[in-house]
Amino acid sequence: LQLVIQPGDGGPMEDWMNLERLAVEGVPMVCLNGALDKVTSGYYSNFLNPELGRCSDRFFTRFEQVFYCKPLGAGRGWLYRVYPEPWQCLRETKRGLELVETYAERPSPAACLERLKRP
């Protein structure tokens, strides 16, 4: 098992690219607080960082997110998942969290925000 803690976030982008170099075929890699959304979503421009973009396409797109919890909007809700359960869009209410919808595939944050606008 390879355990990687918080690569790249707050450090050099090379941290993310080094993960691909460190990977061993057949050995699981667990990445905690990896900020992989930044790598796979285009947060870092492929034009300015072409090597990171290629690494993302080859390597990080194969990762399965087993625990995910991302705030949506300014306290409107959450996109949440615990593997192997489905993705969940949760609405923040005065009484707590309310399940709004579940998804087999990961929805975009924008799609969840649109869903939170409806009752």
Side-chain angles (χ1 to χ4, degrees):
L1 175 69
Q2 292 180 303
L3 180 61
V4 181
I5 314 255
Q6 198 171 351
D9 198 30
M13 281 190 245
E14 288 79 16
D15 283 358
W16 284 307
M17 291 182 284
N18 286 335
L19 292 184
E20 183 180 27
R21 293 180 187 112
L22 291 171
V24 176
E25 190 65 36
V27 177
M29 180 180 282
V30 176
C31 187
L32 300 174
N33 295 333
L36 298 181
D37 281 353
K38 287 183 177 180
V39 180
T40 59
S41 70
Y43 178 85
Y44 294 110
S45 164
N46 286 349
F47 178 74
L48 297 174
N49 305 288
E51 190 176 345
L52 181 60
R54 288 190 296 273
C55 176
S56 172
D57 291 343
R58 272 190 319 267
F59 185 64
F60 290 110
T61 55
R62 300 182 314 182
F63 275 54
E64 177 74 31
Q65 293 171 326
V66 297
F67 182 79
Y68 188 88
C69 190
K70 181 176 183 74
L72 299 168
R76 297 177 91 174
W78 297 84
L79 177 56
Y80 176 78
R81 183 185 190 214
V82 174
Y83 180 86
E85 295 176 17
W87 292 86
Q88 300 175 24
C89 179
L90 303 166
R91 178 179 285 122
E92 187 107 16
T93 69
K94 291 181 181 178
R95 293 188 306 249
L97 295 174
E98 168 189 298
L99 178 62
V100 175
E101 192 163 338
T102 61
Y103 305 86
E105 299 290 323
R106 178 182 167 187
S108 70
C112 288
L113 281 171
E114 283 300 314
R115 178 58 186 93
L116 288 170
K117 291 177 183 177
R118 300 190 316 264

